[in-house]
């Protein structure tokens, strides 16, 4: 509902001509704080392009879309000209000039009311001559005047710097939560980047278009200190996202559990959801919507758009309820986010601007949303760019309403594997185990909402399989292996039987792994391999233990720093480490000192920008530069160690012997000062030089933990976050395995142990090969614990040793994976 305060109404005015009338209404808007005075130029320019005469002596001048930035808050103003002024070439006389500064979609409501006014001659007469502003207020707003509805403008008085902690950046769900939080308080909040771009926090599309990835420094500005505090805390807390999820969009690499012997062809894509199914293919091509521009009456078209948006909102309400009951709240949140996209004021506003220019409602909405879809597609970050599909989904929903097409219902496809160029989240949610077996898309990515819903549906899915997928004829017999990211075409009868048998095996394995998750990690012949969890917060400890974790192999302490906008004090750090140590009881806890730099930026530290952040002042190098950060952390750990003998300390990014000696000396100084007992000290092996001098290091450390994420990145010279390199950045590359082998051998000679806390430890092939190489501890994400333990139990230590030995001699990562696969089959 828009407000029309009295000072934005001028009664009994006179105007020399149309331009004078527009100047008067523009001045009202500017004086009332709705626009910058320069908005007048936009109004005059618009009038030059198209006459804004509406009918019955009413005109609605408004600015061109490019002058929208001059709007401070949505507003209308009315100049009453009882004597009238000549308006268009058609000789119309205007007595009510309704100036519109459309920064939101509330003016749709005004247009609807104007329609009613237009149809009522007596009312038009009264409004054109009345001396009571309340008549106009009532007719145009239907309500008593209230404070103006404000869009957050620049110059908000309170601001603070925060860093975006969300691993997948600011995508639709956190953006929705942010918008709702601000709207619920009726507050004004803006987010600004150091590039100068900024967005109103209630406008989701603006926020998404900022392209905020994890670690982006942001200025949050608000109209009150309370709102600022609340919003900044909510952003630091992740706005509902799991902040410890890995930043990389690449899926966990999995070797097929089963491969057919004789198939016609194999299509490879990116695994999006696990599972193995047998069926026939069916191409799915959504019917293109036929949108033509049907110019017409702006008021009617605006009302049509308004009605379509409302119906789409109601439809989504039903989708939310259904998805919630079928798949849970987190999947339903995707469609809540769609409701936000639907309400995006910028899109509606641009559509209305086109409608006011005389374009048809469907065409105008399509144009306005296409522009935003293209904007999202251009974002560098693949996860954020994937949100373009969500917007296309919403666009289709609204266009269907405008074109009078029924809601698309689930295809009764039966037992088919659906093949599609791409699927929208709505398509995916409509589908289900009753209507299909699984799906493969030519485009898309593993972090798309489509993939997320597929996982919720329990349907196997593969994405990014390439356009050749679309040439596969319908009814081609096929086997879809979601975990391996493969679609096998025309399998033999024996393969079909084999696949069905394997389905049964898989289900049994999953059940067995869960049931045995609390058994100690060990090979079949009882050789112990500790399976620990990578968790950063004491609050996650209970869930990790419930999953069967035998300790914490990596606590990434930088998350304590990333999730806030000031350095956590020594006391705060101590409290968190202490809570984690206590939660683990007798089980080991490995605290890793700050690993800032690379992809983990902390803006409030004021660090210099690096050309090559992964090769610069990162990890321990930063700690040496900043003893003001390092020493309090070391003291907090030493204090906890006085009471908790399970505490271990580990240094990241060690590349030289001097690095370790220097870090150790600093810790030892602190420890003695605080009278703390000895703490086992380890280094991460994540730089090739550290692996190559492992022998020298092993004499001085208590343990090693291999960070395969970085070790792979630095060995293969492939950015660990690079989406195009994701499939090649494989820790099973023999070059990486040989470095790990050197490390394990060096440690063994010195009687020290080696763990692995990088992603390879949680990948089944990785867990087996690493154990075969002599690794004694695997630290993985909590949900991976049961599967890793189960994989270890399937092999004897000797088998794994032999497999690892052969792996070291392979020429490629692919050959290493094939080797494990071969073993599995012959087992
Ligand atoms: C690694 O590099 O493998 C590792 C565990 O450290 P991080 O992922 O935090 O860099
Ligand atoms: Mg690392």
């Amino acid at each position: 509902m828009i407000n029309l305060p009295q000072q934005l109404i001028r009664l009994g005015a006179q105007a020399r001509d149309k331009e004078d009338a527009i100047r008067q209404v523009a001045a009202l808007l500017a004086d009332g704080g709705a626009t910058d005075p320069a908005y007048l130029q936009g109004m005059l320019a618009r009038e030059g392009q198209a006459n804004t005469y509406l009918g019955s002596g009413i005109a609605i001048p408004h600015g061109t879309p490019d002058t929208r930035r001059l709007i401070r808050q949505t507003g209308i103003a009315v100049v009453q000209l009882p004597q009238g002024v000549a308006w268009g070439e058609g000789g119309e006389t205007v007595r009510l000039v309704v100036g519109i500064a459309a920064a939101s979609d509330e003016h749709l409501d005004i247009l609807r009311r104007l329609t009613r006014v237009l149809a009522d001659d007596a009312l038009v007469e009264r409004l054109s001559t009345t001396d009571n502003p309340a008549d106009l207020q009532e007719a145009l707003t239907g309500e008593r005047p209230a404070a103006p509805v404000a869009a957050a403008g620049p110059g908000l008085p309170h601001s603070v710097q925060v860093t975006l902690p969300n691993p997948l950046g600011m995508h639709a769900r956190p953006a929705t939560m942010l918008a709702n939080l601000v709207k619920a308080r009726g507050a004004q909040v803006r987010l600004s980047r150091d590039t100068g771009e900024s967005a109103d926090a209630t406008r989701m599309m603006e926020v998404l278009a900022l392209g905020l990835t994890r670690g982006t420094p942001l200025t949050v500005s608000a109209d009150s200190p309370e709102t600022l505090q609340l919003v900044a805390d909510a952003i630091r807390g992740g706005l509902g996202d799991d902040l410890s999820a890995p930043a990389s969009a690449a899926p966990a690499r999995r070797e097929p559990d089963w491969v057919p012997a004789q198939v016609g062809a194999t299509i490879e894509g990116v695994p999006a959801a696990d599972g193995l199914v047998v069926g026939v293919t069916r191409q799915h091509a959504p019917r293109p919507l036929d949108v033509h521009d049907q110019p017409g009456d702006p008021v009617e078209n605006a009302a049509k758009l308004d009605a379509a948006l409302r119906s789409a909102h109601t439809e989504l309400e039903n989708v939310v309820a259904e998805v919630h009951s079928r798949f849970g709240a987190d999947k339903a949140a995707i469609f809540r986010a769609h409701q936000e996209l639907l309400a995006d004021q910028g899109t509606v506003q641009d559509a209305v601007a086109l409608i006011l220019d005389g374009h048809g409602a469907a065409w105008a909405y399509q144009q306005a949303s296409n522009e935003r879809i293209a904007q999202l597609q251009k974002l560098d970050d693949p996860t954020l760019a994937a949100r373009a599909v969500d917007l296309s989904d919403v666009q289709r929903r609204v266009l269907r309403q405008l074109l009078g097409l029924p809601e698309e219902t689930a295809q009764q496809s039966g037992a088919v594997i659906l093949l599609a160029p791409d699927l929208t989240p709505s398509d995916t949610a409509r589908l289900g185990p009753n209507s299909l077996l699984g799906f493969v898309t030519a485009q898309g990515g593993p972090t798309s909402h489509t993939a997320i819903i597929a996982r919720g549906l329990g349907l196997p899915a593969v994405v990014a399989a390439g356009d050749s997928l679309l040439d596969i004829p319908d009814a081609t017999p096929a086997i879809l292996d979601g975990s391996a990211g493969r679609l096998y075409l025309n399998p033999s009868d024996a393969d079909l039987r084999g696949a069905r048998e394997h389905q049964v095996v898989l289900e049994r394995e999953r059940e067995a792994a869960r049931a045995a998750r609390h058994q100690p990690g060990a090979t079949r012949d009882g050789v112990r391999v500790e399976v620990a969890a990578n968790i950063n917060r004491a609050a996650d400890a209970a869930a990790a233990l419930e999953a069967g974790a035998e300790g914490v192999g990596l606590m990434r302490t930088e998350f304590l720093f990333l999730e806030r906008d000031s350095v956590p004090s020594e006391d705060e750090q101590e409290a968190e480490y202490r809570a984690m140590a206590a939660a683990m009881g007798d089980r080991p806890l490995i605290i890793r000192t700050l690993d800032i730099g690379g992809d983990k930026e902390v803006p409030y530290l004021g660090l210099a920008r690096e050309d090559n952040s992964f090769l610069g002042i990162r990890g321990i190098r930063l700690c040496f530069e900043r003893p003001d950060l390092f020493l309090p952390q070391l003291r907090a750990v030493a204090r906890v160690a006085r009471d908790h003998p399970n505490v271990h300390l580990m240094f990241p990014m060690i590349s030289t012997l001097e690095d370790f000696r220097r870090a150790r000396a600093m810790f030892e100084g602190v420890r003695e000062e605080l009278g703390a007992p000895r703490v086992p000290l380890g280094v991460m092996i994540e730089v090739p030089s550290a692996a190559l001098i492992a022998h020298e290091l092993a004499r001085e450390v208590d343990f090693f933990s291999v960070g395969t994420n970085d070790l792979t990145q630095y060995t293969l010279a492939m950015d660990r976050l690079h989406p195009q390199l994701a499939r090649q950045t494989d820790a099973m590359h023999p070059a990486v395995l040989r470095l790990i082998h050197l490390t394990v051998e060096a440690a063994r000679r010195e009687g020290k142990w080696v763990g692995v806390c990088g992603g390879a430890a949680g990948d089944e092939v990785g867990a087996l090969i690493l154990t075969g190489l002599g690794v004694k501890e695997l630290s993985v994400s909590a949900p991976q614990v049961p599967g890793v333990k189960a994989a270890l139990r399937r092999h004897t230590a000797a088998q794994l040793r032999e497999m690892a030995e052969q792996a070291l001699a392979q020429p490629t990562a692919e050959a290493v994976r094939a080797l494990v696969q071969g073993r599995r089959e012959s087992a």
Side-chain angles (χ1 to χ4, degrees), residues 554 556 592 595 600 618 686 707-710 720 757-758:
L554 171 63
R556 291 175 163 106
R592 180 177 77 180
D595 182 21
K600 298 168 200 155
R618 181 191 167 188
E686 47 188 353
T708 49
N709 307 335
D710 277 314
R720 59 191 271 183
C757 60

Side-chain angles (χ1 to χ4, degrees), residues 635 642 667-676:
R635 275 197 290 268
R642 286 194 295 214
F667 179 67
E668 289 303 317
V670 161
R671 189 176 69 77
E672 277 164 28
E673 183 189 303
L674 293 169

Side-chain angles (χ1 to χ4, degrees), residues 787-816:
V788 167
K789 283 186 175 176
L792 293 174
R793 276 194 299 268
R794 283 197 285 270
H795 302 82
T796 64
Q799 283 170 338
L800 295 181
R801 262 198 309 276
E802 193 193 323
M803 204 147 74
E805 219 166 90
Q806 290 180 8
L808 288 172
Q810 299 304 312
T812 62
E814 204 176 319
V816 172

